[in-house]
Amino acid sequence: GYIGGENTDSIFVMLLKNNKVYIIHIPRDLIVKIDDDLFKINSLYLLKKTDSLLSEVSKLTGLNIKKYFVFDLYIFKKTIDYLGGLEVDLKYPVTDAVTGYTLMPGKRKFSSDWIEFIVRSRYYPQGDFERMKNQFIILTSLKERLSNASEYELLKLFNLILQSKNHYETNLTYSDILKIIKQIKKSEFKEILIDLNSNLWISDYFDIKLNSYSYFNVSGLIPKAGIGNYEEIKKEIQKKITQEY
């Protein structure tokens, strides 16, 4: 019933290259222009504008992105449940914006409910950007757990994903998915995050579209160079990939 309930909560690019997996974060509040209208990038999948989403992310990263995998929290939590929870070295406090409850940093094993709390919380000075750092920590922990998994466990996880077909959408083949799971197992994760400290973003208020409705004075993020001008951000992303490589 919430107006943004079906928006994409998190968007990132996974680049697999030479035994490294680069996780490139895409800000969910990014304002994009499509056919003379402004949208938040996190609404494009909901609006069935997947091609526009892939095109926009390709321009931002400088990568030619054709494949995608969209999943909901159900399949994410089922994966963690199947693995018996996840050991995480939490670097930052995680605070619930409503109750004020704070989960303190430290290394311990978390259930899927706690993992959901960590990846969804964005009650930070830099909001989503700091949440992205927590999400990368969770992804890295998941990768480490998969690294210790047997071939049998990986195949069972693969079947679990396939059986949850109402909770994901992708244009990857089954063979692609299995290959990616196996490649992740032996790869090192690298994070690429262009946050507010880069001075390449501007926060402001915009009039945006959602379905046939307009919404006014919505908080959003654009490149400092202007809407759709990703040149400096793209250079920074490519530089980080090159440095890591």
Side-chain angles (χ1 to χ4, degrees):
Y2 177 64
I3 189 63
E6 298 300 320
N7 285 347
T8 308
D9 198 51
S10 303
I11 306 170
F12 58 86
V13 174
M14 181 179 282
L15 172 64
L16 287 75
K17 186 175 182 180
N18 287 20
N19 290 330
K20 287 187 174 67
V21 177
Y22 299 92
I23 303 295
I24 307 170
H25 297 284
I26 309 299
R28 68 194 291 271
D29 289 333
L30 179 65
I31 300 294
V32 299
K33 188 173 184 179
I34 299 170
D35 298 330
D36 297 325
D37 288 318
L38 297 182
F39 301 85
K40 269 194 180 183
I41 198 167
N42 68 341
S43 71
L44 296 184
Y45 174 74
L46 162 65
L47 299 174
K48 304 190 184 303
K49 295 180 181 291
T50 306
D51 288 343
S52 296
L53 172 60
L54 296 178
S55 174
E56 206 69 26
V57 173
S58 295
K59 292 173 190 173
L60 190 150
T61 60
L63 303 169
N64 185 22
I65 301 166
K66 299 292 186 185
K67 300 290 186 178
Y68 67 89
F69 191 99
V70 182
F71 60 93
D72 63 14
L73 281 170
Y74 170 85
I75 196 170
F76 179 66
K77 292 176 70 176
K78 287 290 283 187
T79 297
I80 293 167
D81 287 337
Y82 166 73
L83 295 172
L86 205 57
E87 189 171 83
V88 177
D89 190 2
L90 197 61
K91 303 283 195 256
Y92 317 99
V94 183
T95 300
D96 179 63
V98 177
T99 65
Y101 173 80
T102 298
L103 183 64
M104 300 307 293
K107 188 172 185 177
R108 50 202 182 277
K109 197 169 191 177
F110 292 103
S111 68
S112 61
D113 288 334
W114 280 113
I115 297 294
E116 179 185 8
F117 173 63
I118 293 167
V119 299
R120 293 193 66 185
S121 177
R122 52 182 179 145
Y123 189 64
Y124 299 102
Q126 284 207 32
D128 270 322
F129 285 106
E130 289 182 74
R131 177 171 73 153
M132 291 173 192
K133 294 176 185 177
N134 275 336
Q135 291 173 344
F136 179 75
I137 290 170
I138 298 299
L139 288 173
T140 302
S141 301
L142 184 57
K143 177 263 171 191
E144 289 171 357
R145 175 63 181 86
L146 291 174
S147 296
N148 296 318
S150 65
E151 288 288 318
Y152 176 72
E153 281 185 302
L154 290 178
L155 283 171
K156 281 196 70 176
L157 177 58
F158 175 67
N159 285 326
L160 174 70
I161 293 171
L162 297 187
Q163 290 165 12
S164 305
K165 61 183 179 180
N166 293 329
H167 298 277
Y168 74 89
E169 181 183 323
T170 184
N171 60 358
L172 293 164
T173 65
Y174 292 163
S175 176
D176 289 335
I177 296 172
L178 192 55
K179 182 180 177 181
I180 288 169
I181 291 174
K182 288 183 176 181
Q183 192 164 347
I184 285 173
K185 178 179 177 179
K186 62 183 181 181
S187 298
E188 180 184 6
F189 271 30
K190 296 289 184 179
E191 183 177 30
I192 297 180
L193 174 61
I194 312 299
D195 63 13
L196 296 177
N197 293 327
S198 68
N199 292 318
L200 295 177
W201 300 107
I202 294 175
S203 295
D204 209 337
Y205 292 89
F206 303 87
D207 299 338
I208 65 169
K209 296 280 286 186
L210 184 59
N211 289 326
S212 57
Y213 299 99
S214 295
Y215 294 86
F216 303 102
N217 294 319
V218 174
S219 176
L221 195 71
I222 63 170
K224 193 173 183 179
I227 295 174
N229 189 338
Y230 303 121
E231 201 57 37
E232 292 304 315
I233 296 169
K234 180 174 67 176
K235 284 180 184 176
E236 194 65 23
I237 290 172
Q238 291 294 321
K239 183 171 73 174
K240 287 179 179 291
I241 293 173
T242 303
Q243 285 172 345
E244 292 288 353
Y245 176 68

